[in-house]
Amino acid sequence: MSENHRELDVVIVGAGFAGLYMLHRVRELGLSARVLEAGGGVGGTWYWNRYPGARVDVPSLFYSYSFSSELQQEWNWPETYSAQPELLRYAESVADRFDLRRDISFETTVVRAAWDDGAARWTIETDRGDRVSARYLISAAGCLSATNVPDFAGIESFRGEWYHTSRWPKEGVDLAGKRVGVVGTGSSGIQAIPVIAEQAAHLFVFQRTPNYSFPSATKPMDPEVEREWKAHYDEHRAKDRVSFGGQHVEAPDRSALDVCDEERTRRYEALWDQGAFGVLQSFNDLRTSLEANETLAEFVRSRIRAIVRDPDVAERLCPKDHPVGTKRPCLDVGYYETFNRDNVTLVDVRADPIEEITPTGLRTSLASYDLDVIVFATGFDAMTGPLLRMGITGRNGLTLAEKWHAGARTYLGLATAEFPNLFMVTGPGSPSVLASMITAIEQHVDWIAEAIAYIDSHSYDVIEPTLEAENAWVDHVNALADATLFRLANSWYVGANIPGKPRVFLPYVGGLGAYRARCDAVAGNGYEGFALR
Ligand code: N01
């Protein structure tokens, strides 16, 4: 970072979809800004997650920026659900189109950020020894960017290669003829396993919790569909912005318990065959009634039993410990079918836990497995991890880790009391991961840009939520989550995947449309719930 960047209006952390658009917006306000990005290029999630089979689970006509009409008209998506290389190409093209790279420092990780109340500025330090001062600090570090590699004993002794799915080497990994172990069966594992099985000599899948996975609906883009969509893009986007999940779908109006078994199964079958998450929208009480939810859960199990030939393996793949949809559901291309291959072995590490990594592979309580490569598809310290790893200190030396010791507390998922002029794009307490991410990102970035414009035009220096507003928001987020089945799962939504992490439901379940209305009302009422100085 050069000298002349040391006194800035804004520092943005992360050059994924959130950071790129945030930079574009603050530049439009005439502010000086710098993006600090740990990776060697733009793209965030799609820069890091290069594992085999990585693909978005939202249709690309939705999962794309809406802020530039020219961009959305000119970009052509070759597939309905894009694979990682195409999404990375898109992010790179956006960075070039809006000339964003000149304000981004790559391979630069924030290690400390401290608020100076007297100067009303943040001082940000990086692993390269930079020290930069900014009026605003904006985290665009993402919800799923803090990698989780479990603390397995003996990992340093392993003589083969090991990788985490979200730190997959750019040049790829040659798995041909190798004995490969994949630990983890979340979205990443479920996408990678079928592709790895085709390459490896033998694949061992170490599964702790079986997951519900639906067939992906990905296919080549029909040019006619794309043309029609683009002709009405603004109308589609307008509906998406006020929808529940950032992607407009007709809301179901019937309970799963109000129809007979045959009709219910017919509906599940039809929506399952269409692929993607449509089946989760079959009825209106699948998220709130355990009895209704169990009808869909049992339907998914019946599909698994129909696909997987070995009944014992099928049974071990059937999720039974959590309601369907309460962990992030997965989309796959041939996941369950993979277990019919002769070169694939499923190991149940709930019944037979991993004891240690050995020089030659992995040892469970009952057996040893010789492996050349171990792939950890073990997920992330979600939502709070990226923020806490930045070493943020607010007013009076209070660290974010201290403030959030019992769980994240924010106002609107955008800001937190005692940390003035800090904004979070898709922070804990906002719809974020429960919505289509780019739609959620655009809403947050626009709101933050408008808040900064308001502060500057009213000659304020500082914006910070009141404790009262924050407490009320946290109570609201919890009350909404309590009315759903989400809390019944040991998911990363509640931090259950990270030993010692406080169990708090992190996203806002009220829907993006309702959330947007609330944020707009807050701004319309002169930033109600915020103290402006
Ligand atoms: O991570 P996960 P992910 N021993 O946390 C297991 C998004 N995403 O990277 O369930 C043994 O879901 C763990 O087991 P358990 C999406 O939002 C999207 O797969 O904790 N196993 C689990 O099976 C997704 O939800 C896309 O019992 C251990 C797995 O590792 C989120 O990212 C694609 C273990 C981790 O699953 C995270 O997905 C990919 C241990 N010590 C990701 N620790 C798409 O758009 C963990 N596990 C399609």
Side-chain angles (χ1 to χ4, degrees):
M1 196 184 304
S2 58
E3 283 297 319
N4 60 355
H5 286 123
R6 295 197 165 192
E7 286 278 325
L8 296 165
D9 292 314
V10 181
V11 160
I12 298 162
V13 184
F17 285 121
L20 293 178
Y21 181 43
M22 194 75 243
L23 174 60
H24 179 64
R25 283 299 316 258
V26 295
R27 270 193 193 163
E28 284 181 335
L29 296 176
L31 302 176
S32 60
R34 190 92 197 144
V35 177
L36 306 176
E37 165 57 55
V42 300
T45 286
W46 305 106
Y47 172 87
W48 293 109
N49 288 269
R50 297 167 191 255
Y51 61 84
R55 183 180 291 281
V56 69
D57 58 6
V58 174
S60 292
L61 287 166
F62 296 89
Y63 188 85
S64 47
Y65 287 121
S66 73
F67 72 85
S68 162
S69 179
E70 295 76 23
L71 172 67
Q72 70 181 5
Q73 288 299 333
E74 287 167 25
W75 191 266
N76 294 107
W77 296 104
E79 294 178 284
T80 51
Y81 291 74
S82 295
Q84 174 272 331
E86 186 63 15
L87 288 154
L88 182 57
R89 197 171 75 80
Y90 176 70
E92 287 172 342
S93 154
V94 169
D96 292 336
R97 184 180 189 121
F98 297 97
D99 188 23
L100 299 174
R101 290 178 204 268
R102 66 185 157 85
D103 285 326
I104 306 175
S105 298
F106 293 107
E107 295 179 350
T108 303
T109 301
V110 173
V111 292
R112 258 180 302 281
W115 173 251
D116 177 342
D117 217 22
R121 294 185 78 87
W122 284 96
T123 302
I124 297 112
E125 295 176 46
T126 76
D127 62 343
R128 289 176 166 260
D130 307 303
R131 238 176 115 84
V132 55
S133 158
R135 292 165 54 216
Y136 299 100
L137 173 62
I138 304 178
S139 170
C143 299
L144 295 159
S145 55
T147 297
N148 169 43
V149 179
D151 191 15
F152 289 119
I155 193 165
E156 68 297 333
S157 73
F158 183 53
R159 290 202 294 264
E161 304 154 47
W162 69 263
Y163 305 95
H164 188 277
T165 42
S166 82
R167 291 294 179 272
W168 202 257
K170 278 186 191 164
E171 60 283 6
V173 182
D174 182 7
L175 299 173
K178 306 243 171 88
R179 295 161 302 180
V180 181
V182 173
V183 181
T185 52
S187 300
S188 303
I190 280 178
Q191 285 188 326
I193 283 163
V195 187
I196 293 176
E198 284 174 9
Q199 300 170 358
H202 199 94
L203 170 63
F204 295 91
V205 175
F206 298 95
Q207 171 192 270
R208 188 164 68 181
T209 310
N211 234 315
Y212 298 91
S213 185
F214 305 99
S216 164
T218 193
K219 55 185 177 211
M221 183 67 76
D222 176 343
E224 198 42 54
V225 170
E226 190 176 12
R227 229 187 334 272
E228 190 285 330
W229 196 268
K230 286 184 174 178
H232 303 283
Y233 230 143
D234 290 348
E235 294 147 57
H236 290 303
R237 296 293 199 186
K239 283 187 188 170
D240 295 346
R241 290 190 189 108
V242 296
S243 67
F244 187 87
Q247 183 186 338
H248 175 73
V249 284
E250 291 305 325
D253 57 2
R254 272 191 307 174
S255 158
L257 307 175
D258 282 350
V259 295
C260 66
D261 290 354
E262 291 72 27
E263 185 181 343
R264 193 188 311 115
T265 304
R266 262 200 312 279
R267 187 156 171 74
Y268 287 154
E269 277 171 353
L271 290 168
W272 173 278
D273 290 344
Q274 277 177 25
F277 298 135
V279 70
L280 285 164
Q281 299 287 335
S282 322
F283 296 101
N284 64 9
D285 50 356
L286 296 174
R287 276 190 172 179
T288 49
S289 156
L290 202 50
E291 197 184 348
N293 185 286
E294 179 55 23
T295 64
L296 177 58
E298 189 49 32
F299 172 79
V300 178
R301 288 179 212 123
S302 74
R303 293 278 107 174
I304 298 170
R305 291 177 188 125
I307 296 170
V308 180
R309 285 198 288 272
D310 181 328
D312 176 49
V313 174
E315 221 40 50
R316 282 186 281 137
L317 286 166
C318 283
K320 290 175 194 145
D321 77 333
H322 62 284
V324 55
T326 55
K327 283 184 157 192
R328 169 78 173 203
C330 309
L331 294 187
D332 72 88
V333 180
Y335 175 65
Y336 295 117
E337 290 82 348
T338 298
F339 293 91
N340 291 330
R341 296 176 65 107
D342 292 337
N343 71 332
V344 175
T345 305
L346 178 68
V347 183
D348 177 353
V349 297
R350 174 79 63 195
D352 175 20
I354 297 172
E355 298 270 318
E356 61 170 350
I357 309 293
T358 65
T360 54
L362 185 156
R363 192 174 63 76
T364 64
S365 58
L366 298 176
S368 285
Y369 299 87
D370 286 339
L371 302 171
D372 303 305
V373 178
I374 303 178
V375 176
F376 293 108
T378 43
F380 304 90
D381 184 353
M383 302 196 72
T384 53
L387 287 150
L388 292 174
R389 288 184 190 186
M390 266 183 240
I392 300 175
T393 304
R395 186 179 291 111
N396 300 323
L398 179 71
T399 66
L400 195 60
E402 285 163 349
K403 167 148 186 192
W404 288 1
H405 74 278
R409 301 189 71 80
T410 70
Y411 180 39
L412 302 167
L414 278 161
T416 185
E418 304 290 341
F419 294 79
N421 291 12
L422 167 69
F423 290 113
M424 295 167 262
V425 183
T426 63
S430 76
S432 56
V433 291
L434 296 182
S436 178
M437 279 308 287
I438 299 185
T439 318
I441 283 168
E442 285 191 331
Q443 185 262 336
H444 261 194
V445 168
D446 289 338
W447 192 95
I448 293 167
E450 281 154 28
I452 291 175
Y454 179 93
I455 296 159
D456 287 1
S457 67
H458 288 73
S459 302
Y460 292 118
D461 289 324
V462 173
I463 180 169
E464 180 188 347
T466 65
L467 209 50
E468 196 183 18
E470 179 172 296
N471 289 342
W473 182 252
V474 171
D475 289 348
H476 176 57
V477 170
N478 287 334
L480 289 178
D482 283 342
T484 70
L485 302 175
F486 275 111
R487 287 188 189 267
L488 301 181
N490 289 322
S491 65
W492 57 258
Y493 294 143
V494 296
N497 62 326
I498 303 295
K501 187 164 174 170
R503 192 178 176 106
V504 171
F505 191 80
L506 293 165
Y508 170 81
V509 292
L512 186 64
Y515 174 81
R516 177 187 300 276
R518 179 68 182 265
C519 289
D520 289 349
V522 165
N525 292 332
Y527 293 88
E528 188 179 12
F530 286 92
L532 302 171
R533 283 195 276 122

